[in-house]
Amino acid sequence: MNLFYAKQTFTGPYLRNLTLYVFLALIVGVAMGYFAPEVSRTLGGVSRYFFMILEMLILPVIFMAVTHGICQLADLSNARRIVWQVLLYFITISTIAIALGFFFGFIIQPGADTGIRLAAVSPSLPDQFELDDQQLHTFLYVNRHGIFLSFSIIVGILMNFSKRRTRFLNVLDQGQQVFYTFIKYLYFILPLIILCNIAYGIAVYGVDTLLPLSKVVATVYLADIVFIVVVLGLISYVLKFDLLRFLINIKEEILLVITTSSSKAAFPLIFEKLESEGYSRKILRFVIPLGYNFNLAGACIYLAVACCFLVQFYQIPMSFGDYLWLFVIITFTSKTASGVPGSGFLALIFTLNKFGKIPLTDIALLYSVDRFMNEARSVTNFISIAVAGASISKIAQRRG
């Protein structure tokens, strides 16, 4: 039986109680980070290797989901209209998210009069964010998710012209089942990964790091909350579904995203959860994988606020044209923040490199609190992606 056809959420008593295990891991991780900091600092690589493995498994799933979704769109009489609706929706949401980030950056002024002493906050970046021009401008590395997604779309379109299309769809179904089984068993060690991730964060950064930069963190959180409540709330109101009930229904997946700092951690779960709520399987297969690259509202807000912070911190004179150009750059670089922990900060580095007016000298300043903003960024990305799947499904059902 194909997992996409199941009407219950993903398998077994362990995963049904995953929220409890994650909560316990969170408590133990905080305690361990506080009382055993030396041991906790050695755990930083655990979650990094876990997400390397998870990404290796999820990328083929995205390929199969997008390709299958493109193939199935050909069976819908209004397929072309759905594609344009999805593109328009993603562009509109990204534009609103960036504008919202700039708005709160201008109003709250998180980078003005901080009183920050740079040496006391964060002296350097970790190795994975080393500012090496050769690494940063490696096309395949920066755009790996977009290239993979583009390849998936091309294959899906070509398969619609193949006589073996039906057989190909069956192979994709079976392939997804195999990969979901692997991912399901990988989730058995997820509480341990969360424990290590939280313990490392508390030991290395601690809550004290938040204090000098609390204003920029608060700005990101406030903008994210307003986006979810007002923007997504308005969308749900227009399309006549209850956003609060919707969020309660996906609370397990949201908790998973918060504790792992990765929206991709909940990628396999959200399909079945939304399908069990009556949303179109064909639409979800198309919209959600695309959303993980093109509907990253949390990343858009974070990049806009972070850039405002740095402009104000360095007192850089900016014209309207400069902000407009920065807006365009964020529109593209936000697409590289594709759900893996730390990818949002890497997208910030890409943004600053492309923009050129903001120095990268003290970028470690923001990295010291990036962990605190990563949760908000990932959750906003995830909720925005889930709402997009529900919204496009509602629109298609209404007009189909």
Side-chain angles (χ1 to χ4, degrees), residues 221-243:
Y221 272 80
L222 180 59
D224 284 337
I225 291 169
V226 170
F227 175 82
I228 292 169
V229 174
V230 177
V231 178
L232 298 185
L234 183 60
I235 291 172
S236 65
Y237 175 78
V238 171
L239 296 176
K240 294 182 169 50
F241 67 93
D242 189 336
L243 180 63

Side-chain angles (χ1 to χ4, degrees), residues 2 5 25 28 35 37 97-98 104 144 160-162 185 246 280 284 286 302 307 313 324 330 384 389:
N2 192 301
Y5 289 90
V28 175
F35 293 107
I98 298 171
F104 280 99
R144 65 194 185 279
N160 281 318
F161 299 100
S162 173
Y185 287 111
F246 182 86
S280 169
L284 294 176
F286 177 66
Y302 162 78
C307 287
F313 183 77
L324 192 60
I330 291 174
S384 181

Side-chain angles (χ1 to χ4, degrees), residues 299-351:
C300 290
I301 291 171
Y302 162 78
L303 291 174
V305 172
C307 287
C308 284
F309 168 82
L310 292 170
V311 165
Q312 294 156 9
F313 183 77
Y314 289 113
Q315 298 181 349
I316 299 171
M318 294 275 286
S319 66
F320 177 78
D322 290 330
Y323 278 112
L324 192 60
W325 176 231
L326 184 57
F327 191 105
V328 172
I329 292 173
I330 291 174
T331 300
F332 289 98
T333 56
S334 62
K335 307 304 179 276
T336 64
S338 188
V340 180
S343 57
F345 188 77
L346 201 55
L348 176 62
I349 297 176
F350 299 152
T351 303

Side-chain angles (χ1 to χ4, degrees), residues 62 144-147 149 264 288-296 334-336 338 385:
I62 291 177
R144 65 194 185 279
H145 295 101
I147 293 171
L149 191 65
K264 271 206 174 105
I288 289 180
L290 287 179
Y292 271 89
N293 272 87
F294 299 117
N295 189 33
L296 300 175
S334 62
K335 307 304 179 276
T336 64
S338 188
I385 291 165

Side-chain angles (χ1 to χ4, degrees), residues 145-156:
H145 295 101
I147 293 171
F148 200 82
L149 191 65
S150 300
F151 178 70
S152 307
I153 293 172
I154 292 170
V155 172

Side-chain angles (χ1 to χ4, degrees), residues 95 115 117 146 215 326 345:
T95 301
R117 292 183 298 117
K215 202 173 179 182
L326 184 57
F345 188 77

Side-chain angles (χ1 to χ4, degrees), residues 25-43 192 195-196 198-200 202-203:
L26 182 64
I27 294 174
V28 175
V30 170
M32 187 173 176
Y34 185 79
F35 293 107
E38 294 302 321
V39 175
S40 299
R41 287 190 183 97
T42 65
L43 303 176
L192 176 62
L195 187 154
C196 295
I198 297 297
Y200 175 80
I202 294 294

Side-chain angles (χ1 to χ4, degrees), residues 40-80:
S40 299
R41 287 190 183 97
T42 65
L43 303 176
V46 176
S47 60
R48 185 163 65 250
Y49 290 123
F50 172 82
F51 283 106
M52 286 173 59
I53 296 170
L54 184 62
E55 186 175 18
M56 288 171 58
L57 292 173
I58 284 181
L59 280 177
V61 172
I62 291 177
F63 168 78
M64 288 182 281
V66 172
T67 305
H68 199 295
I70 296 290
C71 285
Q72 287 202 322
L73 272 181
D75 296 333
L76 300 176
S77 58
N78 57 346
R80 184 175 297 180

